[in-house]
Every structure is written in structure tokens, then in C-alpha cells.
Amino acid sequence: MQIDWQKGLIPVVTQDENGEVLMLAYMNEEAFKLSCESGYAHYFSRSKNRIWKKGESSGNTQKIKQIKLDCDNDAILLKVEQMGAACHTGSHSCFFKELDILENSRIPSEENSRIPSANTPSYGILDELYHTCLERKLSGDESTSYTAKLYKKAPNSYLKKIAEEACEFALAIKDFKAGTKGEHKEAQPAYDIVYEGADVLFHMLVALADVGIHPEQLLNELRRREGLSGLIEKANRK
């Protein structure tokens, strides 16, 4: 099996044992090697910019049953034993949104674009919000969705909010240190800090989703800096 890795990331179509398409992902050579060695599907996440084992967070792993290569040696078909749901929404397959283009050439409404499930896997709140932002960007209704409204006038809309919320967060810290009572302080002393900080993070996620950068890349950068002097790290920046 000679895969043409010179073309970069290789698309991977993943099916369950019954032939249903579960998802489309990508592999680099290292992810493919890990998949073959372990017997479980590993992919390269373009948004997280790293290799990930399917199910590493949710437990919904994919045990590989068969690997096929296409005629041009640049696409892979995996047949797997899927544990639990393949999609982060809790759906068995990622392909559950039906486009009624033959009838009225429109994308399904936001209400019908995501199938709720009691068995939705846990990927962490940052990952969940990131995917929600992606959905709102592509098919959100700006009349009912604040996030979709931000994307309508992007990037100035969310960049302005990031600056505003960061300022309010800074003022909340300043008031707290000065002993000044904020709007919510009598009920919970640090509430203003938490509230404004959450606003900053949310609008940062909106911005990251717009440029296709998963928040885990920020966490990885912090991990990279761990144990390194901040002065040295800044001096080494190009």
C-alpha cells in the first residue's frame, strides 16, 4: 500500500460495519502509522493542529476492521467498529443534516440542524461551544441567534466585543481589589469577575471559530510555555 503523502493530509471516509458513512476526517503519515499499530483510528485535526485518537475524550473509539486505498493513492476508506456515537452531537453519524436543495434550494433551519441526544459524548465546554459557533456561522438565523448576528458583520462585530468585554473584565478586577461593590457583589463577591471573564472567553471562541482555530491550540501553546521564563519566551519570539 503506497499512499501519496506528498499531497499533504489525506482525506479519510469512515464507515461502520454496516456501510453507513460515519464521518470524514484527515490523516497524516504519523496518524496512519498510529492507526495501523494500535488498531484504532487516529486522525489529524486541522483545527486543533494535532493528532488525535477518535474517542480519546468521549470514549467513543473506532476499532479498525478494514483499510482501503483509492485508485489515486490519496484517499482512504476505513471500516470500523464504532463504540457509541461517531459525532460530537451524539448522533451515530456526522452526516445527519439533509439539504432540501431539490425542492426549494435551502439549508435546513437551525432548529433542525442538530439532533439532540441523551447520549451526547462529553468533549469539554470549549469544544462544544466551538462547534456551536461553527454551526451558527454556517446556518444560524441572525434574528434569533446572537452568535449568528456577530458573524453577519464579522470581524468588526466580535473584535469590538472582545475589546469591550476585556475592558469590563479589567474593571471588575480593579473594583474587586479596591473593595468596590459591583452590580452582583452582594450575592457573590467575585461574580462580576467570573461573568465578565466568561464574556471575554465566549467572544474569543466566536473569533477562533471564524478563522478555524480550535481553542485547544491556545491551550497547547500554554503547555509549550510551561516551565519557561516569560521573559525568555518573549525574547525568543520572532
Side-chain angles (χ1 to χ4, degrees):
M1 184 183 293
Q2 297 296 325
I3 300 175
D4 189 357
W5 294 113
Q6 292 185 351
K7 294 183 178 180
L9 294 178
I10 299 298
V12 181
V13 177
T14 305
Q15 294 178 310
D16 66 15
E17 295 175 285
N18 296 321
E20 181 180 4
V21 176
L22 299 176
M23 56 186 284
L24 172 69
Y26 295 86
M27 286 184 182
N28 61 7
E29 192 167 1
E30 183 180 356
F32 179 75
K33 182 179 180 181
L34 287 170
S35 298
C36 293
E37 290 177 349
S38 68
Y40 286 87
H42 289 68
Y43 303 102
F44 185 89
S45 172
R46 295 175 299 170
S47 59
K48 297 179 182 179
N49 195 34
R50 70 170 178 88
I51 293 172
W52 60 287
K53 177 185 177 182
K54 177 65 178 174
E56 65 183 15
S57 299
S58 65
N60 295 342
T61 56
Q62 294 175 341
K63 187 175 182 180
I64 299 173
K65 295 295 184 179
Q66 187 180 54
I67 304 176
K68 290 186 176 182
L69 187 63
D70 81 331
C71 57
D72 292 323
N73 295 346
D74 60 2
I76 293 172
L77 176 66
L78 283 188
K79 283 198 174 182
V80 302
E81 177 185 341
Q82 176 67 52
M83 295 296 295
C87 183
H88 76 280
T89 64
S91 175
H92 179 64
S93 168
C94 292
F95 294 94
F96 58 82
K97 301 178 183 180
E98 184 174 355
L99 303 183
D100 300 325
I101 58 175
L102 297 179
E103 295 182 7
N104 51 20
S105 298
R106 69 176 180 85
I107 296 176
S109 64
E110 185 175 310
E111 291 76 14
N112 297 325
S113 67
R114 182 166 179 165
I115 297 177
S117 171
N119 298 317
T120 300
S122 174
Y123 290 92
I125 186 61
L126 291 179
D127 185 80
E128 292 292 335
L129 287 176
Y130 176 79
H131 281 91
T132 297
C133 288
L134 291 177
E135 291 175 359
R136 299 296 186 267
K137 176 185 176 181
L138 293 175
S139 58
D141 183 353
E142 62 177 303
S143 67
T144 59
S145 169
Y146 170 72
T147 306
K149 189 174 182 180
L150 287 174
Y151 283 126
K152 184 69 175 180
K153 297 182 179 180
N156 290 340
S157 54
Y158 59 69
L159 293 179
K160 179 180 178 182
K161 289 300 296 183
I162 290 173
E164 289 179 357
E165 300 299 346
C167 181
E168 291 177 6
F169 175 71
L171 290 175
I173 295 288
K174 183 178 180 181
D175 289 344
F176 182 81
K177 296 294 288 184
T180 305
K181 286 186 178 181
E183 181 181 353
H184 307 285
K185 270 205 166 184
E186 292 182 358
Q188 187 175 341
Y191 184 87
D192 285 344
I193 297 173
V194 174
Y195 186 88
E196 301 299 348
D199 281 348
V200 177
L201 284 176
F202 171 76
H203 290 92
M204 284 180 62
L205 284 170
V206 172
L208 289 171
D210 196 26
V211 296
I213 296 178
H214 194 280
E216 187 169 320
Q217 288 200 46
L218 276 65
L219 300 180
N220 288 339
E221 174 60 18
L222 291 176
R223 295 186 188 101
R224 184 189 69 81
R225 299 180 189 181
E226 188 175 6
L228 180 66
S229 165
L231 295 176
I232 295 176
E233 193 280 325
K234 283 192 174 184
N236 291 337
R237 291 186 190 181
K238 295 181 180 180

